[in-house]
Structure formats: C-alpha cells, structure tokens
Amino acid sequence: MANELTLSVNGANQVVSAAPETPLLFVLRNELKLSGPRLGCGMAQCGACSVLLDGEEVRACITPISYAVGKQVTTIEGLPAVWAMQKGLSAPDAAKTLHPVQQAWIVEQVPQCGYCQSGMMIVAVQLLAKNPNPTVAQIKDAFTNTPPSPHLCRCGTYTAIIDAVQRAATAMRAGKQAAR
Amino acid sequence: MTPKIKASSELPVASVTILTPLTAPITRRGFVKMGGALFVSLSIPAGLSLHAAESPTSLDPSVLASWLEIHSDNTILARTGRTETGTGMSAYYAHAIAEELCVRPETISLVLGDTDRTPDGGSSAGFLYGMANVRKVAAYTHQALLGLAATQLGVPISKLTVADAIVSGGGKSISYGQLVQGQQLDLKIPVTGTPAKVDPSSPEGNGGAGPGLAGLDGFTVTGDPPTKPVSQYKVIGTSYPMPGIPDKITGKTQWTCDVTLPGMLHARMVRPATLGSTLISVGALDKKQYPTAQVVTKGNLVAVLSPNEWEAIGAANSVAATTKWTEWAGLPGSDNLTKAIRDYKWGAPSQSKGNPAEVNAALLGARKTMSATYELPYVRHAPIGPFLAVADVRSDGSVIVWTHSAQLQGLRAQIANTLSIPTDKVVVRWLDHSGQYGRTTFGGDGAEADAVILSQLTGKPVRVQWTLQEDLAWSSVSPGYVLDLKAALDPNGHVIAFRSASYTPHQSDARLLGAILAGMPCCLPRPGSWVATESPFSAWSYDKIPTRLEEAYGMPNLAAESASGGLRGNIMRTPGQRQQNFAVEGLMNEAAASAGADPIQFRINHTTDQRLIDILNATAKAAGWEPRPSPHPRARKTGNASVTGRGLCIVVRNDAYWVGIAEIAVTPSTGAVQVTKFTIGADPGKIINPRQLDRCMKSGVVMGLSEALKEEVTFDKSKVTSTNWTRYKILTMEETPEIKVVQISRDDKGFGGGSEAANALGPPAVAAAFFDATGVHARRLPLTPAYVTTLLKAQPRTP
C-alpha cells in the first residue's frame, strides 16, 4: 500500500506517496520528474539508472524507496550543487556552475545516444571522490568491476569516458586547490 | 525538444563571392507588421498530394513542408525528417546549411523527424544523402537571398559577398534578417519522391505476394543550384560540437521515455516464448493487490496497464505467471544454425555479380586454389534502453505517437495500415532515446504498434515500456551467415580469381510486432539478400583480381513456416558488408599467409587504388607495423602464458576507405582473447567534422570488437535464451583497448560515409591477429574462451 515517505533528493526534502518497496527509479522519474536516471535492464546489470545514495552509487531500478529514506539522493540534476558546496561557491555562482564531471563530459563530447551517460557520470563522481587522480586502469576497473555489474555503453563511448574522467580529475584537483 | 546548436567557441566567419544568378523565384505571401520570414518549402510534383491540411493534427501544408525559415532576427530554423542517431548527423546537417548560407552554425535551430513538422527525409541512416538534400536547400535559399539583396542594395549579384548573414557590395550592406523584415516570403524548391506508403503490389511485400512498405527514401531535392567550392569552406572541416550534448549532460533533454500525457496508462506486455506460440488463456489479475491494473487482450497481444508504472510491472509479472500459451519448437537451436542454413533448399541467388563461367574456368585451370567457409551467428542491436513508445488514439480518429524510430514516415504508414485509417490521420513525433543501430531503418517498430493498439482499445494515452528480456527476445535480429569462398592462385600466390557465396536469412523484416500479435493488417517482409561489395554503398577494391563472382542467397526468417515466422531478421550497422567483408578479408589474410607475404603488401599487390594504398600505409605507420608474414615465428597454440599477434583488414564503403589493425594477446590454456591495441584509419574524402569522425571511429571499433569477441544470440528450439546482459554479452570498458585514429581528408573526392563501416573492421582484424598469434585460422565468431579452446585443441598447427 502507498505510504507517505520523505526523501532527500538533490538537497531538498520531497514527500512522496508510494509503496515502500517501489524502486527509487520510478519515484524519481514519475513522481519527482527527474529524467536523468533512466530505465535500462531493470535488474542491476547495466547502470543506466545509477544515482548516489549518501555518495555511494546504487542502481535505482532495484533500490526500494524505503532504503533511501534518511539518506541523501543525488542525480545528475543535483551534481552542480554538490560541486558548488565542495568549492564553497556563492549562491549566484553556484547557479551558473556545472560539476567538473559534467563539464568534462561536454568538452570531451562523450555521449552518442547518451542513454547510459547519466549513470556513467554518477560512477565518475563517486570514483573521483575516493581517488582524485585515477590511472586508466583504475578508471576501467571502477566502471567494470564495481558490483553489481559493469556499466555498459552500446554506442561504444568507453574511451571518451576515460578521457573525460581524467579531464574532470584535473579540473577538480585544481578547483579544490583554489577553494582552500 | 528542439536541439539548439550551441557553440563552445566562435568559428571563423565565412566570406565568399557568388558568381551565379538566382535560380528559384521568391513569391510574396504578404507583409506583416512585426518580424517577417522567408519560408523555404517543397514544390510538390503534380499528382502528388500530401493531404496535410485535411488532418486535424497537421499544420498548414506550406509550413508542414518547410525546410528552412530565415527569420528577421537572423536566426534560422531548419527542419529535416531525419533524426539524430547518436553519430552526430544533426551537427552535419547544420554544418552544410551554415556553409552554403554563410552563417554561423549556432544561429541554426533544428527540428528533427516529426512527421507533421518536417519534410519527409527518408531513413535517418546514411547521412550523406540527407546532407546532400539540405545542402541544396541552403544553396537555393542563398541564391534567393542574394537576389533580394541585389534588388535592395541596387548592386548586381556578381558584386555581392556574404559573411555571417550580412550581404555586402558597392559599399553597402544588409543582413538576411533585414531582407525579410516585415515580409512573409515563400521560396519553393523542386523535389521528387513519393511518400512512404503500404502498397499491396509493392515488390517489397515478399516480391509482390502481399502488402509491402514502399517509398522509404523521402523527398530528394532536384536541380543543381550553385554550391560553395570546397576550397572556400569555413565550417565543414572544423570540429564543431554535436548539438544536444549539454542538455543530455545536465538532464534537460526530453527523451521519449519522459513523455507523459494526462490520463496516461503505463503498460507492460505479457509475451509468449516466440511468435510460434498462441494464447490459450490469460492469467488471473488479483484486483485486491493491483486495484488500478487492467488486462487488455487482442489476439495474441496481451498487456497489463495501470496509471502507476510499478503497479503495472507487478501486475504484469503476476498475470504472466499464469498465462498459458501453446507449445512451439520450430527453431533449429543456435548450435545448429549452420546446419539449418545449409539444409535450406536454395534456389538461385538473390543477387549475383560477375561471370560464373569465367570464374569457374579460372578456378578449374589454376595450379593452386584455396577455399574456406566462414560462419557468423545471429547478433542484435541490443541498446541499453529497451524499446519504448507513447501513443494517443483520440476520439476523433487521429493518432499521435512518440517514438525514437529512425524511419518515422515508414512507421507512420505502417501504423495507418494496421489501424485501417488514412495515413494523414497519423502523426509520429521523434524524441531522443537509446541508439537504434539500424533496427528501425526500414520502418519497423518496437513498442509503437503495441502502444497504438492498446490506446485504441482503452481509449486512453498509453506508454509501453519493453523490458530488457523482452527486447533481447523480441526485437528484430541481425541474422547468421554461412559464407563459402574459393580463390585461384598464380604460382606466386597472387589471387587471380575469386568466388564467394553468402547464405543468410533475410534482413528486411519490418513488420509491426504488435500488429502481428494482435492479428491486425501488416506488411510482408522484403525477401532476399544482396552483394554488399557491389551495393550503391560499397566498392570492390582489389581491382587487380581480374575475375570474380559474388553471389548472395537470402532465405526467409528461420522457422518462417511457422504461423508468424520465427526470428524477425533485420539489418544492423554496416549490414551485409559487415558479414561478407569478414569472409573476404579472412580469405585475403589466409591467401597472404599461404603466399608467405606481409598482409599489407599482399593487399597493395592486389589493387591500383591509390586511396586504399595511402590509408593502408598511413595506418600501418601509426600502428608501428613491421612487415612480415603471418603467423608470427613464435606463434603457439598451447600453454598458460599469453601469446601475442597482430592482424589487419580493410573495408571500402560509401566512398570511404577504412583500415583496421588489431593487436591481441591470447592465453591458449584458457582461450581468453584480449585486444590490447587497435589502430583505425579512414579516408572518407572531405572530412566534415574531424572530431565527430574520431568519435564514430572509436565507438565503431568498440562495437566491432564486441561482435568479434562476445556477441551471439542464442536460442533453443522454442525461444531466445540470451535475454539479459550476462547471456548477451557486450564489450565492457575494461575490455576496450587503446584506440589510435588516423584520418586522411581529401578536398577533391567528395564526401564519403563516416558513421558506418568502423564496426566492420574489428572481427576480421581480430581473426587475423588470432592466426598471427596461434597459427590457427578462426573462421567463426565470436572468439569466446569456449570456442577458442575448442579451436586450438582441434586444429593441427598450420606451417
């Protein structure tokens, strides 16, 4: 049965009415109208639906909303604010900024169809939070061997993703240096 | 919805001198108080009516068909019936328009695909044809604008120059916007072509046996308006970014899956194992557990719908568990694919090129011949996002469908045919979604017919989302191939005659799945196969092989004798040539090895085509290729330590020359094959956008290596069994090698295709590298550990 639950999504509390076992993905998309995370396999095998839950990547297609209660949910729509906070930007500057991972994805022209790329950027943000200067092997490992499955791209943008992660890493190290 | 072109940097401003006079007349619709515009639309040939104005869901026909609008604020709206498939085509269309009009691309907005808002553009695949159209449209428009400017400025056209939408001459200047200010102007552009329609007598319908889908090429602009010489290009040849990327990155893009309509129902389909099974009884729906859900059935089409998506999913799973279907076991099983293809009673080839008598005489008379059979499994497009569509069949009989199809007019005609309504009652709108890779090029559907039929039955807008399992079982597939090749060699091992025969189920089954299941009117598939190396897209490059015969045999779908016909065969990126080239390049590599020749030199010895020779040499240099024959002297087929090899192939397609060089490591004891580096070279004539081509080349390599190493649609006698990502495996990031790109641009060779062909390089190059490493020829794909270990155990080492 549908319950009222409060979720914290991209820094704002949202009251949603849904059965507690409903996967987070359907609530984010259909109730909160966030179109960044998308349905791929529906069984945690591809990563198109990935979001951050307290900074850790989860597959929203199999994560019940009850599990997300009390945790911070971040989608690509919320990445600019994450960066603005890390960098200590003023509110007007924050409104104009993009997360360095997003900026790098644009500069490196990563997406082709782009369907998987929201999930790819989520992995990149998580990786760079833990390892600010990853090698190519470490990037490949993070996108392939982190449970529950590899992040898959059918258009074949893997090399562009690697380039973009390295570009973002450089920008973030410089950005954080400047913020100190 | 409208992909606005955005520039990350200012581009150089164009400036050219135009020497030729106006070639199409402008008419004045009237004066307007504010704004003003020049509308560039189609001059429809006599006898061809679009009936657009009769449709309540269509706009004014002149606007409907307009290609370009030049606005008084110097912005330009461009419309094409083609869509963005992820390879950057939308950027190329804007490039071509900007180049001819002498404007900056970022002043151009694009409307793509929508059948009520764009002129019929045909299939979205093959952007060259689409670009040739928009270039002519822009060229005609440019001439018309120059004519207006000549009148306004009192300066002859021959004295005018244009830069950044400002026409100058005789010390005076005026912008395009000022030229149209306060006026509404029409420019009609001559076109030919017939709209897509379901034709009862079309040869597309299994050779005229029933209704076929005809007219998939869209309109072609006729005449030859003066176009800008390549030497004066300012936009084409620069690395302009692909439109739409920033919105995809920030989450602003509206995708097909984001369409929501008031009162819309979410649907999940309940399917049998294959088309061979029919419905016995529909499972029970527990209304207590799923109070808002409903089951809808028509023929063998079964769906569960609810306003709540999660409830629809749960209810559909529950209904599916108790729904009963007849048993059917008509498929041969994927392990028996080659035998099933061999067992088909083949008649004459669908297409044949060359002289059989000459080739057979050359083969009989040769002192040495070599022959080989190559086998390819069924593979599939397998996008990350399964098929999805939203449809609204309204009470007034009009229909609107949101789709990510790459052939909207064909889909529109098929939907009208299925619903038995006039085509002009149907509007199909395009939005971004997961890639198609060719699976909708012929106007076939995914979830569209499901959605239309369910909306008609429920009277509500319906959104149908396929599951991954459903997509991997039910979407159309790229069929398996068996290819027999034979070559005659001269005493030096040079190939002097060549014969190939390819056998495959057909690849043009664009029937609407929902219509088949619901038992509603439906087209028949197009029969046959074709010789890819001689298609309009491709060419035979080994012109020093004087005698050859190529035959392509096409059979109906596997198990076509069943009620609805087994697995629906369809084209996939680089169709026909991808498969046939695997065998041709395989035999060329085997012949090179047999002659003890370096594979690059061996190819150079068989061609006089300097473009091929140049790209071979440039790619070899970038790869650090050391001339020697294969296999490597240290090749081995046993042991726990890995052994390395390198291999090469070419493909010539769509006036573009491609070379692929694979470097791999094989672990004989485990059968593991890792591609460590791939060098890819392309000469597509004038490169339109080096950056976008680079992207297409690298991603094509990934797709090709995926096919080489991993992909196979498996099936038993009654169903497809590779229905998730652990069973239909595709390449991961970890398995992706370093990819090196070589590009040659030529100003004097026109435009060649860049978005296809790259994926055809992986399989033959990897197979050649495998032979180099192990001394064993791999003539079947994919090179999985299981197949490789069997192969290495079975074969004696070739010299």
Side-chain angles (χ1 to χ4, degrees):
Chain A
M1 293 304 292
N3 297 21
E4 288 216 331
L5 297 168
T6 303
L7 294 176
S8 173
V9 181
N10 295 333
N13 282 340
Q14 305 274 4
V15 179
V16 297
S17 176
E21 76 277 10
T22 310
L24 181 58
L25 177 67
F26 298 110
V27 173
L28 293 174
R29 292 188 53 81
N30 295 339
E31 311 301 323
L32 303 179
K33 306 297 175 197
L34 290 167
S35 59
R38 280 177 288 278
L39 177 69
C41 60
M43 49 187 164
Q45 287 189 351
C46 74
C49 65
S50 286
V51 300
L52 294 172
L53 209 55
D54 282 349
E56 297 288 323
E57 183 219 345
V58 296
R59 307 293 168 94
C61 71
I62 57 153
T63 304
I65 47 166
S66 56
Y67 184 74
V69 171
K71 301 187 176 76
Q72 298 290 325
V73 181
T74 307
T75 69
I76 57 164
E77 290 90 341
L79 290 180
V82 168
W83 177 244
M85 189 182 284
Q86 285 174 12
K87 230 189 143 193
L89 293 180
S90 67
D93 284 345
K96 285 184 287 183
T97 196
L98 282 181
H99 193 285
V101 165
Q102 292 174 301
Q103 194 61 47
W105 247 250
I106 292 170
V107 174
E108 292 293 341
Q109 298 267 296
V110 176
Q112 292 209 358
C113 83
Y115 197 84
C116 68
Q117 297 296 344
S118 168
M120 296 291 188
M121 287 186 283
I122 292 293
V123 187
V125 170
Q126 185 192 25
L127 168 65
L128 294 174
K130 293 178 176 173
N131 181 352
N133 194 12
T135 63
V136 171
Q138 288 168 332
I139 295 169
K140 285 183 169 180
D141 184 57
F143 280 79
T144 310
N145 301 319
T146 309
S149 83
H151 273 256
L152 297 174
C153 172
R154 183 55 164 162
C155 293
T157 63
Y158 296 132
T159 59
I161 291 172
I162 294 168
D163 293 344
V165 171
Q166 293 193 311
R167 177 180 287 275
T170 305
M172 286 174 76
R173 290 196 305 272
K176 285 187 178 155
Q177 202 74 36
R180 274 189 204 124
Chain B
M1 281 220 240
T2 303
K4 172 82 180 153
I5 309 267
K6 287 176 183 166
S8 59
S9 62
E10 287 287 295
L11 285 162
V13 171
S15 170
V16 291
T17 306
I18 301 297
L19 304 166
T20 331
L22 183 67
T23 51
I26 283 184
T27 59
R28 228 167 275 271
R29 241 191 262 172
F31 290 89
V32 289
K33 278 189 178 160
M34 301 284 286
L38 168 64
F39 297 90
V40 183
S41 51
L42 305 88
S43 177
I44 304 294
L48 186 69
S49 168
L50 287 181
H51 297 295
E54 294 166 24
S55 168
T57 48
S58 292
L59 306 173
D60 179 302
S62 62
V63 177
L64 164 82
S66 87
W67 251 302
L68 276 182
E69 290 174 26
I70 311 283
H71 296 149
S72 60
D73 61 358
N74 281 315
T75 61
I76 294 167
L77 183 67
R79 304 165 192 263
T80 167
R82 288 166 171 253
T83 62
E84 175 58 65
T85 62
T87 50
M89 296 185 206
S90 52
Y92 307 145
Y93 297 138
H95 278 73
I97 294 166
E99 195 71 83
E100 293 302 331
L101 283 176
C102 306
V103 301
R104 284 175 292 123
E106 57 267 39
T107 63
I108 300 171
S109 296
L110 293 168
V111 178
L112 304 173
D114 300 350
T115 60
D116 59 331
R117 300 196 288 200
T118 66
D120 185 351
S123 301
S124 301
F127 84 93
L128 288 177
Y129 173 82
M131 194 180 90
N133 254 353
V134 298
R135 181 191 298 113
K136 278 191 181 182
V137 169
Y140 274 122
T141 308
H142 184 72
Q143 293 302 309
L145 288 163
L146 284 176
L148 284 175
T151 309
Q152 288 266 333
L153 299 178
V155 176
I157 286 175
S158 60
K159 297 268 195 288
L160 295 176
T161 61
V162 189
D164 197 10
I166 293 169
V167 190
S168 306
K172 294 175 274 189
S173 66
I174 188 166
S175 73
Y176 286 168
Q178 288 168 315
L179 285 171
V180 302
Q181 178 74 42
Q183 307 180 68
Q184 200 161 318
L185 304 165
D186 284 316
L187 177 66
K188 297 281 185 201
I189 304 254
V191 297
T192 58
T194 50
K197 66 169 180 177
V198 174
D199 181 350
S201 60
S202 166
E204 306 291 330
N206 196 13
L213 186 55
L216 293 183
D217 293 334
F219 290 116
T220 302
V221 180
T222 57
D224 285 302
T227 51
K228 192 191 281 189
V230 174
S231 60
Q232 293 182 14
Y233 279 177
K234 304 287 185 197
V235 178
I236 289 175
T238 64
S239 288
Y240 206 73
M242 187 173 107
I245 284 182
D247 285 352
K248 287 181 179 175
I249 295 309
T250 53
K252 290 197 185 84
T253 299
Q254 191 187 15
W255 301 71
T256 314
C257 57
D258 300 332
V259 173
T260 54
L261 299 173
M264 183 180 84
L265 299 176
H266 290 271
R268 290 295 192 280
M269 309 307 294
V270 176
R271 306 281 195 202
T274 68
L275 282 169
S277 295
T278 55
L279 182 64
I280 299 171
S281 62
V282 180
L285 173 67
D286 180 351
K287 285 295 271 188
K288 214 168 156 188
Q289 196 178 356
Y290 305 107
T292 68
Q294 59 175 313
V295 180
V296 173
T297 304
K298 187 172 173 65
N300 295 311
L301 188 82
V302 181
V304 178
L305 302 92
S306 162
N308 181 294
E309 189 171 12
W310 182 238
E311 189 167 325
I313 292 168
N317 287 338
S318 151
V319 168
T322 52
T323 299
K324 292 194 171 64
W325 304 91
T326 59
E327 299 277 332
W328 179 80
L331 289 169
S334 44
D335 289 345
N336 301 314
L337 175 61
T338 296
K339 182 177 184 306
I341 292 176
R342 288 277 189 223
D343 285 350
Y344 183 74
K345 294 190 174 31
W346 296 97
S350 313
Q351 203 179 54
S352 172
K353 300 277 176 181
N355 185 327
E358 250 177 46
V359 170
N360 290 334
L363 286 167
L364 276 173
R367 284 173 57 189
K368 192 178 176 194
T369 62
M370 60 189 308
S371 55
T373 289
Y374 299 86
E375 299 168 38
L376 296 166
Y378 271 77
V379 293
R380 74 184 334 137
H381 315 81
I384 300 302
F387 269 127
L388 168 129
V390 178
D392 188 9
V393 179
R394 295 161 179 174
S395 55
D396 65 1
S398 64
V399 179
I400 183 160
V401 182
W402 283 267
T403 177
H404 49 119
S405 164
Q407 174 48 274
L408 282 87
Q409 297 285 354
L411 179 64
R412 177 186 185 221
Q414 286 220 77
I415 287 170
N417 177 60
T418 290
L419 297 181
S420 302
I421 59 174
T423 306
D424 57 28
K425 292 282 188 196
V426 181
V427 167
V428 183
R429 291 268 176 91
W430 178 84
L431 287 169
D432 268 304
H433 204 70
S434 206
Q436 299 279 9
Y437 319 115
R439 66 181 186 168
T440 53
T441 294
F442 290 143
D445 76 329
E448 289 86 353
D450 293 337
V452 165
I453 294 165
L454 293 173
S455 178
Q456 189 183 48
L457 292 173
T458 58
K460 295 202 164 142
V462 173
R463 175 187 190 270
V464 176
Q465 168 73 67
W466 284 20
T467 63
L468 176 71
Q469 296 96 318
E470 201 175 354
D471 201 304
L472 291 178
W474 281 93
S475 61
S476 54
V477 272
S478 174
Y481 262 76
V482 176
L483 308 103
D484 294 329
L485 274 70
K486 190 162 188 181
L489 309 173
D490 75 6
N492 298 320
H494 187 94
V495 180
I496 51 173
F498 175 91
R499 187 177 74 195
S500 74
S502 69
Y503 302 89
T504 180
H506 65 184
Q507 323 179 38
S508 315
D509 188 349
R511 293 175 298 160
L512 301 185
L513 178 63
I516 299 172
L517 285 167
M520 295 172 78
C522 193
C523 291
L524 293 182
R526 185 164 55 163
S529 185
W530 66 95
V531 177
T533 55
E534 287 286 1
S535 81
F537 291 115
S538 50
W540 176 260
S541 287
Y542 300 123
D543 59 348
K544 282 176 140 178
I545 301 176
T547 313
R548 73 194 158 93
L549 171 66
E550 291 177 278
E551 294 177 327
Y553 294 81
M555 63 182 268
N557 291 329
L558 272 187
E561 64 280 10
S562 68
S564 307
L567 304 172
R568 294 180 303 146
N570 206 342
I571 58 166
M572 183 167 145
R573 189 171 277 180
T574 324
Q577 195 166 15
R578 193 178 82 247
Q579 297 94 333
Q580 292 173 21
N581 195 62
F582 174 69
V584 171
E585 286 302 289
L587 196 75
M588 285 301 281
N589 280 319
E590 295 193 26
S594 156
D598 172 72
I600 291 182
Q601 189 57 50
F602 190 72
R603 283 173 171 78
I604 291 172
N605 292 346
H606 284 82
T607 187
T608 62
D609 192 331
Q610 196 57 44
R611 287 179 72 186
L612 177 59
I613 294 168
D614 288 351
I615 195 67
L616 271 167
N617 285 330
T619 312
K621 189 176 171 197
W625 182 274
E626 288 173 21
R628 62 166 172 82
S630 279
H632 193 282
R634 287 193 302 275
R636 76 185 140 75
K637 47 179 275 185
T638 55
N640 293 322
S642 70
V643 56
T644 60
R646 57 100 200 264
L648 162 126
C649 70
I650 66 153
V651 66
V652 182
R653 183 173 177 80
N654 228 337
D655 294 326
Y657 293 73
W658 301 79
V659 175
I661 296 175
E663 294 169 48
I664 71 169
V666 183
T667 309
S669 58
T670 63
V673 178
Q674 169 74 43
V675 181
T676 51
K677 188 178 165 192
F678 201 96
T679 308
I680 177 171
D683 164 7
K686 177 66 181 175
I687 293 176
I688 298 164
N689 185 317
R691 185 66 183 278
Q692 301 304 324
L693 179 62
D694 181 88
R695 281 157 40 84
C696 287
M697 292 169 77
K698 287 174 175 162
S699 60
V701 168
V702 171
M703 192 173 257
L705 295 181
S706 189
E707 186 179 0
L709 299 178
K710 305 189 80 168
E711 294 184 31
E712 177 170 11
V713 175
T714 58
F715 46 91
D716 60 23
K717 290 194 165 149
S718 59
K719 63 185 178 302
V720 173
T721 51
S722 50
T723 55
N724 64 46
W725 292 122
T726 65
R727 291 183 167 192
Y728 193 80
K729 291 184 160 75
I730 62 172
L731 206 73
T732 65
M733 187 186 286
E734 192 167 58
E735 293 161 328
T736 301
E738 175 195 353
I739 302 173
K740 211 165 174 181
V741 167
V742 177
Q743 298 181 347
I744 294 179
S745 184
R746 295 179 189 272
D747 283 359
D748 59 344
K749 299 294 178 195
F751 298 103
S755 48
E756 267 199 338
N759 67 318
L761 294 169
V766 169
F770 183 83
F771 173 72
D772 193 55
T774 65
V776 175
H777 290 299
R779 301 187 180 115
R780 190 189 191 285
L781 296 179
L783 292 175
T784 59
Y787 172 57
V788 166
T789 40
T790 310
L791 191 63
L792 293 183
K793 276 183 193 144
Q795 290 205 1
R797 158 123 196 229
T798 11

